Amino acid sequence: MWNLSPKAEEDVKRLYALLRRPSLFFGSRNIGKSIERLAARNEPAAISAVASGLFSNSMRVHKAASLGIKRLLALVPSMELVHLNKRLTGHYQGYISEAWQNLKPKYVSSFLAKSSDIHLGCLLSLHNNGYIRQAATQFLAKVRTGEELRFILIRQNDWVEPISSEAQLLVRSKLSSEYLSHFVAETDLLFHLLRCKRRDLSKTVSKYVDLLIEPAHNSQMHQAIDSSSKIAGRSLVKYLLQRDGDHLPDAVRFGIDSSDEVIRVRSLKRADDCLMPDECNNIANKLMSDRFPHVRHEAYELKARLSPKSIDVWQRCLLDKSRALRGSAMFYLGKLNCDVAAIYRKKLAASPNSLAALSGLVASGDESDLKIFSDYSRSLFSSRRAEAVRGIGRVGDDADILELQQFLLDESSRVVRAAHQQLQPIANSLDSDHLFALIEDCKTLPGKDAILRLLMEKGRWSSLSYLIRGSANSDQSLSSRAKALLDYTISRNRVFTQPSPKQREQIQLALDESQLSIDLAFFRSVGSYLSSFGFTLPN
C-alpha cells in the first residue's frame, strides 16, 4: 500500500519538478492536472505528494489537492493511518518535508476556521507538530459526518497529554445512539488503541460496549462482532460476556455460532448463566463434536454441570481423540472413584482398533496390561505400535524397557520417537556396543539419529568414540549426522574432567581406525580438540 507503482513514481517526479520550477503562464494549470492524474491512480502512497498542493495560492491547485486527498484517504484502512503519519514526515525526495514541516500553527488555525474541507483537517491531525494536531482536532470536533471519527480516535493516544485528553472527551461525547454506526465501523481501531499502553482508553471502550448492549442496538452488536478482525472480535466478545443484562443470551447464542474457536469457548463458559437447561444441553451436545479440543472441553464441562450423572459425560470424554481431554476425563473420574483402566480394557475388547482406548489404557493401565501392549507392538499401524511402546515403557520392568531398543529400527519415525523417549531415562544402563551395532540394521535416518543421541546421553567421553566411528561410516546420511553431533559435542563449553583409561583407549582406537574415512579438515579439527587432552593424532 505504501509503495508507489513505477507509473506513479514518474507522476510524482514530474509534479515535484513543476512545483520547483512552475511555468510562467500555465504553471497552476499544469500542477493541478498533474495532481489530478496522480490522485486518479488510487494509490494511497501518493498522499504525501498530493498534499504538497494543499496550501497553494492557486485555487485550482488547492482544489485538485483537496479532492485528491479526499479520494486517497478513503482508500486507507483505519489501521494503516499510523503508517500514513510516517509518510507525511517528508522523507520522499525531501520536498514535502519543506512544505509540510514549515506550516505555522496560527496559519493553520485561521485556514481551517475559514475552510469547510473536512479531509484537510483529517490530514493535519496527523502532523508531527502538536499545535497543528491540536488545531486540527478542535476543527474536527465540529464535524458530524463520521468521516472524522477515526482520526479523532487516533488522537486519543497522542503523546501530548492535552491533545489526548481533549480527544478522549470528544470521542466520549460522540458516543450516542445516533453516532453508534460510525463507531461500529471503527471497532478494530478502538480495540487496537486499547492495547497501546501510552494512554488508558478503557473508559472509552467500556462506554462503547455499554451502548452496544442496549436492547435497541442488538443489530449493531452483531455487526460489530461480524465486521471485526479476529483480535478485536475476541476482545469485544470478552467485554460483552463480562456484563450481565438482557443482551447476554443473544450474545452467547451469537458467540456459539461464531467461526472463531476462542469466541465459542468464552460463550460456552457463560451459557448456563443465561440460557435454559434444555438449550444448554443442545449446545453442549453439538459442540462436544467440535474440531477444536478447547471448545470440546468447555462443552463437556457444560454438559457435566447440567447432568445429574456427570460420570456418564466424562466416560464419553474418555474416548475423545484429544489426549489432553482424555486426561481431564481421567482426573474427574478419578475423583469419583471410577476404574478408568477397566473402561478402556472393555472398550478395547469390543473395538480392538480404537486408538483412543489404547492410548487411554497406556495412561491408566498397570502391569497386568503388559500382554495387551506387547500384542499391539506388532500391529500393522504405526500409531498403535507407538502407543504400545509408551505403554511398555510406563508399566514394564527394566528388562521390558531394554527390549524397546529393537523399536529404534522401526520404519516409522513415530515409533522411533516413542522408543527414544522411553529409553532416554535409562540410557546409562544400555550396552553401548550393542546400541551402536543396531545402526547397521537400521534403515531410517530418524532411527540412526535416535541411537546416536542415546549414546550421547552417556556423557561426552563415553560417546566420543562412537561419534567418531559414525562420522567415518560409508552411509552419507549417518556420517553427516554423526559429524554434526560430534561438532556440537566438542564445541560446547570445555570440560575439565579427563577420560578414564578405558575411554581414552576407545577414543584413540576410533581415531586410528577412522583417519582414512573422514575428510582431512574435519579430522584435524577433532584431533586438535583431543590433543589438548593428551591424544595423539595419527600421521
Side-chain angles (χ1 to χ4, degrees):
M1 171 175 284
W2 300 115
N3 291 318
L4 289 169
S5 66
K7 290 184 178 180
E9 287 270 10
E10 290 300 318
D11 287 343
V12 169
K13 290 176 182 177
R14 281 195 291 268
L15 172 60
Y16 285 168
L18 287 171
L19 288 168
R20 280 193 292 266
R21 289 187 175 182
S23 170
L24 183 61
F25 297 106
F26 303 107
S28 297
R29 187 177 70 178
N30 291 339
I31 292 171
K33 285 184 176 181
S34 183
I35 289 175
E36 289 169 359
R37 184 169 54 250
L38 184 57
R41 294 195 181 278
N42 292 331
E43 297 186 33
I47 288 177
S48 56
V50 173
S52 60
L54 283 172
F55 296 95
S56 171
N57 292 325
S58 166
M59 185 55 65
R60 176 167 188 162
V61 173
H62 171 78
K63 185 176 180 181
S66 180
L67 292 174
I69 291 297
K70 178 180 179 179
R71 179 173 186 161
L72 296 178
L73 278 181
L75 300 174
V76 182
S78 299
M79 299 292 287
E80 290 290 327
L81 287 178
V82 64
H83 300 295
L84 175 57
N85 192 351
K86 296 174 183 177
R87 295 287 299 185
L88 294 173
T89 55
H91 295 299
Y92 189 87
Q93 292 190 353
Y95 186 88
I96 193 64
S97 176
E98 180 183 348
W100 186 262
Q101 297 291 85
N102 293 336
L103 287 174
K104 301 299 182 183
K106 288 184 179 180
Y107 171 72
V108 168
S109 298
S110 61
F111 190 88
L112 286 174
K114 299 174 184 177
S115 173
S116 59
D117 192 341
I118 297 170
H119 304 93
L120 175 58
C122 293
L123 194 67
L124 286 170
S125 72
L126 301 174
H127 200 277
N128 63 330
N129 185 306
Y131 292 106
I132 293 176
R133 292 198 307 276
Q134 188 170 32
T137 303
Q138 290 168 352
F139 168 77
L140 294 177
K142 304 168 187 174
V143 179
R144 300 288 296 180
T145 65
E147 298 169 283
E148 82 293 350
L149 181 59
R150 56 187 185 151
F151 296 90
I152 300 174
L153 288 173
I154 289 175
R155 292 281 60 81
Q156 290 182 111
N157 202 40
D158 199 282
W159 53 93
V160 178
E161 199 280 330
I163 300 176
S164 171
S165 299
E166 193 172 332
Q168 289 181 55
L169 290 173
L170 179 55
V171 168
R172 290 201 286 271
S173 71
K174 287 177 177 281
L175 269 167
S176 62
S177 299
E178 296 76 19
Y179 227 71
L180 183 58
S181 60
H182 299 300
F183 278 91
V184 167
E186 301 300 338
T187 300
D188 279 3
L189 184 58
L190 266 169
F191 283 93
H192 170 74
L193 294 171
L194 181 64
R195 296 194 302 274
C196 299
K197 302 301 180 185
R198 183 183 292 137
R199 306 292 178 194
D200 180 11
L201 304 180
S202 57
K203 289 182 180 179
T204 301
V205 172
S206 184
K207 187 173 180 181
Y208 170 58
V209 174
D210 287 340
L211 197 59
L212 273 182
I213 65 177
E214 292 181 6
H217 303 145
N218 193 49
S219 61
Q220 284 99 326
M221 179 178 72
H222 290 178
Q223 184 184 348
I225 299 172
D226 272 343
S227 62
S228 301
S229 65
K230 178 178 283 190
I231 295 175
R234 288 176 177 179
S235 298
L236 175 56
V237 169
K238 181 179 179 181
Y239 268 80
L240 291 171
L241 294 176
Q242 284 174 344
R243 286 165 163 76
D244 294 321
D246 295 336
H247 75 286
L248 191 56
D250 197 51
V252 167
R253 293 187 189 102
F254 192 81
I256 283 168
D257 291 331
S258 170
S259 60
D260 189 319
E261 67 275 12
V262 174
I263 292 178
R264 293 201 297 278
V265 167
R266 288 174 176 169
S267 299
L268 275 168
K269 289 178 181 291
R270 299 251 19 213
D272 53 338
D273 292 334
C274 61
L275 301 179
M276 297 298 290
D278 287 346
E279 186 176 359
C280 288
N281 268 313
N282 291 335
I283 290 170
N285 291 333
K286 173 186 173 183
L287 294 184
M288 280 193 292
S289 301
D290 195 275
R291 58 179 292 210
F292 291 97
H294 287 157
V295 178
R296 296 201 302 276
H297 182 269
E298 286 302 326
Y300 282 119
E301 291 272 10
L302 175 60
K303 183 77 173 178
R305 289 197 299 270
L306 297 169
S307 175
K309 293 184 178 180
S310 62
I311 189 170
D312 295 338
V313 178
W314 293 118
Q315 282 183 357
R316 175 179 171 178
C317 187
L318 280 176
L319 297 174
D320 193 277
K321 59 185 177 182
S322 165
R323 192 184 300 272
L325 262 65
R326 293 197 298 270
S328 296
M330 291 179 201
F331 171 75
Y332 285 114
L333 290 172
K335 293 173 68 175
L336 297 171
N337 299 318
C338 183
D339 188 351
V340 172
I343 297 174
Y344 281 128
R345 293 186 193 107
K346 184 178 179 180
K347 179 64 179 177
L348 276 177
S351 304
N353 288 327
S354 174
L355 180 59
L358 176 59
S359 179
L361 187 60
V362 167
S364 60
D366 54 32
E367 295 85 351
S368 65
D369 300 305
L370 200 56
K371 175 66 168 59
I372 296 175
F373 299 145
S374 180
D375 292 341
Y376 275 100
S377 71
R378 295 185 289 276
S379 171
L380 295 175
F381 301 102
S382 62
S383 57
R384 275 68 175 175
R385 296 199 302 275
E387 289 297 341
V389 166
R390 292 189 184 95
I392 294 171
R394 180 176 171 273
V395 303
D397 57 23
D398 290 345
D400 296 317
I401 298 174
L402 286 172
E403 289 298 318
L404 295 180
Q405 293 176 84
Q406 293 302 314
F407 289 96
L408 295 170
L409 309 180
D410 197 279
E411 62 184 13
S412 167
S413 59
R414 184 174 185 173
V415 178
V416 170
R417 283 196 304 271
H420 179 265
Q421 288 168 359
Q422 303 308 313
L423 291 167
Q424 192 173 15
I426 61 163
N428 282 326
S429 64
L430 302 177
D431 184 289
S432 299
D433 290 333
H434 171 71
L435 193 59
F436 188 71
L438 290 175
I439 285 181
E440 297 302 321
D441 298 322
C442 190
K443 305 300 182 186
T444 66
L445 182 58
K448 295 172 183 177
D449 179 61
I451 292 170
L452 292 174
R453 286 188 287 120
L454 283 172
L455 288 167
M456 289 180 66
E457 292 288 337
K458 291 175 168 290
R460 176 176 300 197
W461 297 121
S462 296
S463 64
L464 215 54
S465 62
Y466 299 102
L467 293 177
I468 292 171
R469 287 191 172 94
S471 300
N473 196 282
S474 58
D475 182 342
Q476 189 60 41
S477 62
L478 171 62
S479 174
S480 298
R481 185 59 183 149
K483 284 179 181 178
L485 293 174
L486 181 57
D487 185 58
Y488 170 75
T489 299
I490 65 178
S491 64
R492 286 184 297 176
N493 293 332
R494 290 179 62 88
V495 295
F496 299 99
T497 59
Q498 293 289 329
S500 67
K502 183 178 180 180
Q503 291 169 338
R504 184 179 291 277
E505 180 184 349
Q506 290 173 332
I507 294 171
Q508 189 65 58
L509 182 61
L511 283 171
D512 295 339
E513 292 176 350
S514 304
Q515 61 174 323
L516 298 179
S517 303
I518 304 178
D519 64 86
L520 186 60
F522 184 77
F523 185 72
R524 285 178 175 173
S525 68
V526 174
S528 175
Y529 167 77
L530 291 175
S531 64
S532 61
F533 292 93
F535 288 92
T536 304
L537 188 66
N539 295 323

